[in-house]
Amino acid sequence: MDFLQPGTWSDALAAKAERPAAVPIAGGTDVMVEMNFDRHRPEALLDLTRVEGLAAWDTDDGPVRLGAGVTYSRVITELGDRLPGLAMASRTVGSPQIRNRGTVGGNLGSASPAGDAHPVLLATDAVVEVESAANGVRHISIGDFFTGVKRNALAPDELIAAVRLPAASGPQQYAKIGTRNAMVIAVAAFGLALHPAERRVGTGIGSAAPTPRRAPAAEQYAATALDEANLWDSRDPLPPSIATRFGDLVAEAAAPIDDVRGTARYRVHCLSVLARRTLLWAWAEYRRDETGKG
Amino acid sequence: MRVSCTVNGESHEADDVWPGESLLYVLRERMGLPGSKNACEQGECGSCTVYLDGVAVCACLVAAGQAQDSDVFTVEGLAEGELLHPLQQAFVETGAVQCGFCTPGLLLAAHDLLRSRPRPSDVEIREALAGNLCRCTGYGQILDAVRLAAERLADRPSTQLGG
Ligand SMILES: Cc1cc2nc3c(=O)[nH]c(=O)nc-3n(C[C@H](O)[C@H](O)[C@H](O)COP(=O)(O)OP(=O)(O)OC[C@H]3O[C@@H](n4cnc5c(N)ncnc54)[C@H](O)[C@@H]3O)c2cc1C
Ligand code: FES
Ligand code: FES
């Protein structure tokens, strides 16, 4: 097995083009488990931790451009204000040691339906920036990125450079059901973002379908219901009926399976509760935050 | 491949390393530093916790080649000769060590906590140790040990945390 350790992004792309079967490794928190248990012995490892600039973030052109190599710990400490939803989701990942090493790029690379970054990325309309030596940069909207269970839209010669998402313009939430508070793969998870300027609510469902996905009918319902009641302007309390209906529609968007972590029925129930609660929490914050963020 | 890195301030080299093996394996089997323990090899138990360039990580999830030229700190670096580190001393005194298998990782995780939060709340201690499993103590004495060490270190501001 070869160990490739490029120091620059162009060298990394060249290495991936030349050796499409090389497995990229960032924090290694997914890759190393596979190797330690002999589940997968790739012909080469492509270490991305030395690639200059891959672990940086910036806001130069408006949205946050989060380099693929930024760890969860750094999202929490450095981006809690700009990306509150992603920071909340990051806090639920594994343990301190896992958060110190695991990256958002690695989460996208693994594309697990239970990946904790994904629901918030969906709720905030993130765009994944991927690149290959031959074809340059592609921007893939997050809704098109997940193509199947643990599969994503990357071509064999492509690497994930970054994910772009807008700095929060309103309250965001992330909630996850698991068997304990630390170190759990979600039984069901839900990310939510209020977009007050656009009078819109973004959603993302985790662990309850073959891929992370949105709940479009719930988004449409929330946009219409909040607008018709003039709630964005009045900032009046959210009628419980709206939150409940929203929760039901989110649950309807799921397509879960029975597995060791939970039954499909339980997951659907979890989602209706998570969606209802996160909308109520986010709305309460929106009401408190008179000045608005947007 | 050859892997060279600094461990506890000393330079180390290992030859004929298979690039897919873990830093934990390199430390234990190739560098003669068996303090970091191998219990799960999947990031779940924290008994292999080390600092990699100052960041607390599971050594079982770091590929050997990723440690090239890095600065590693392990439990072996905590004591100064025969003098136990205040955290180690507190673990001994409170009965936080039974079989001891989890102890090296817990010491590092607790060390990482105390260097950023010298006076942690119980919630913060629990949160910081959430990635470390102990099958013997039931955790009560471990929390006691961290509280005791925090108190002593805070009472003696001149005492370096070390590491
Ligand atoms: C004990 C434990 C607990 C965990 N808990 C959680 C949890 O609570 N929630 C959660 O979501 N996940 C969890 N995970 C899974 C894992 O930590 C996450 O998926 C993490 O985001 C992976 O990031 P990484 O940098 O470690 O990825 P790696 O393991 O380095 O890579 C993961 C995948 O992405 C690919 N990849 C990495 N970077 C790139 C890139 N730039 N371009 C293209 N492909 C790339 C790799 O080839 C690989 O297929 C846990 C893992 C462990 C071991
Ligand atoms: S051996 Fe590394 S976490 Fe268990
Ligand atoms: S003392 Fe035995 S596992 Fe903790």
Side-chain angles (χ1 to χ4, degrees):
Chain A
M1 190 175 89
D2 297 325
F3 190 78
L4 314 170
Q5 199 166 49
T8 65
W9 181 239
S10 58
D11 284 353
L13 293 176
K16 190 67 174 134
E18 201 179 308
R19 307 280 297 271
V23 170
I25 178 168
T29 58
D30 283 317
V31 170
M32 286 303 289
V33 174
E34 295 282 306
M35 292 216 298
N36 289 346
F37 285 80
D38 266 335
R39 282 187 209 126
H40 188 49
R41 289 262 158 127
E43 60 161 65
L45 279 181
L46 176 58
D47 180 24
L48 299 177
T49 57
R50 306 295 164 98
V51 173
E52 209 189 317
L54 196 62
W57 61 266
D58 66 66
T59 53
D60 295 350
D61 53 4
V64 179
R65 182 182 181 277
L66 185 70
V70 177
T71 61
Y72 296 110
S73 293
R74 289 184 52 214
V75 171
I76 295 165
T77 55
E78 298 170 26
L79 287 161
D81 52 345
R82 290 182 177 85
L83 307 177
L86 191 62
M88 286 174 97
S90 299
R91 275 186 215 106
T92 75
V93 172
S95 62
Q97 292 93 325
I98 301 297
R99 295 193 288 274
N100 281 345
R101 196 85 183 134
T103 63
V104 175
N107 214 223
L108 288 166
S110 292
S112 159
D116 280 307
H118 311 327
V120 174
L121 297 181
L122 284 162
T124 56
D125 309 293
V127 173
V128 187
E129 184 188 317
V130 307
E131 190 169 347
S132 68
N135 297 314
V137 176
R138 279 204 297 153
H139 290 106
I140 307 174
S141 84
I142 188 75
D144 298 328
F145 186 76
F146 306 107
T147 53
V149 179
K150 301 197 177 181
R151 296 186 50 190
N152 61 36
L154 276 188
D157 63 344
E158 279 178 330
L159 293 172
I160 302 165
V163 56
R164 288 166 188 273
L165 61 170
S169 61
Q172 302 183 344
Q173 282 290 335
Y174 182 71
K176 158 177 173 183
I177 301 276
T179 44
R180 68 178 185 118
N181 278 340
M183 211 64 116
V184 286
I185 305 178
V187 171
F190 185 68
L192 176 132
L194 299 189
H195 302 287
E198 300 147 56
R199 302 183 165 238
R200 209 160 60 72
V201 176
T203 62
I205 294 174
S207 280
T211 66
R213 56 162 73 165
R214 287 204 173 83
E219 292 185 4
Q220 254 155 33
Y221 167 76
T224 311
L226 293 169
D227 214 29
E228 278 175 355
N230 195 33
L231 290 172
W232 290 111
D233 294 328
S234 71
R235 294 181 193 250
D236 282 343
L238 187 71
S241 60
I242 293 185
T244 303
R245 179 73 188 132
F246 176 74
D248 292 345
L249 287 168
V250 167
E252 276 175 32
I257 52 165
D258 292 331
D259 71 8
V260 288
R261 282 180 279 137
T263 61
R265 226 180 108 221
Y266 178 61
R267 290 193 151 103
V268 167
H269 174 69
C270 287
L271 270 179
S272 70
V273 175
L274 292 177
R276 171 166 54 81
R277 283 189 192 155
T278 50
L279 182 59
L280 287 166
W281 292 334
W283 194 261
E285 190 187 332
Y286 177 63
R287 297 191 62 215
R288 276 198 305 275
D289 186 15
E290 269 296 332
T291 53
K293 287 185 192 158
Chain B
M1 67 189 292
R2 164 177 287 198
V3 173
S4 7
C5 57
T6 315
V7 187
N8 305 326
E10 284 175 23
S11 29
H12 282 259
E13 258 175 23
D15 282 312
D16 303 318
V17 173
W18 181 67
E21 70 191 42
S22 67
L23 169 62
L24 180 62
Y25 188 89
V26 173
L27 289 170
R28 289 178 56 85
E29 309 296 335
R30 301 193 188 274
M31 295 179 172
L33 291 163
S36 313
K37 296 294 177 245
N38 176 4
C40 75
E41 290 195 291
Q42 52 181 313
E44 294 279 348
C45 76
S47 58
C48 64
T49 304
V50 301
Y51 288 132
L52 179 68
D53 291 327
V55 178
V57 304
C58 296
C60 71
L61 299 181
V62 177
Q66 292 185 300
Q68 176 65 32
D69 297 329
S70 67
D71 189 11
V72 181
F73 183 85
T74 71
V75 69
E76 282 97 341
L78 277 180
E80 287 186 35
E82 292 297 299
L83 184 67
L84 292 183
H85 185 278
L87 260 166
Q88 292 172 307
Q89 188 61 38
F91 267 66
V92 171
E93 287 177 29
T94 55
V97 184
Q98 287 188 27
C99 80
F101 209 80
C102 66
T103 311
L106 275 159
L107 286 169
L108 265 284
H111 188 275
D112 193 33
L113 167 69
L114 294 186
R115 62 182 183 158
S116 60
R117 307 282 304 171
R119 287 286 199 170
S121 66
D122 278 6
V123 173
E124 287 171 328
I125 300 176
R126 283 170 187 275
E127 180 61 33
L129 304 185
N132 293 74
L133 296 181
C134 173
R135 297 292 78 177
C136 302
T137 64
Y139 302 102
Q141 297 96 319
I142 292 169
L143 296 186
D144 291 343
V146 178
R147 285 187 212 109
L148 180 63
E151 238 168 69
R152 286 183 180 163
L153 286 161
D155 286 349
R156 286 179 292 165
S158 59
T159 311
Q160 293 269 315
L161 252 183

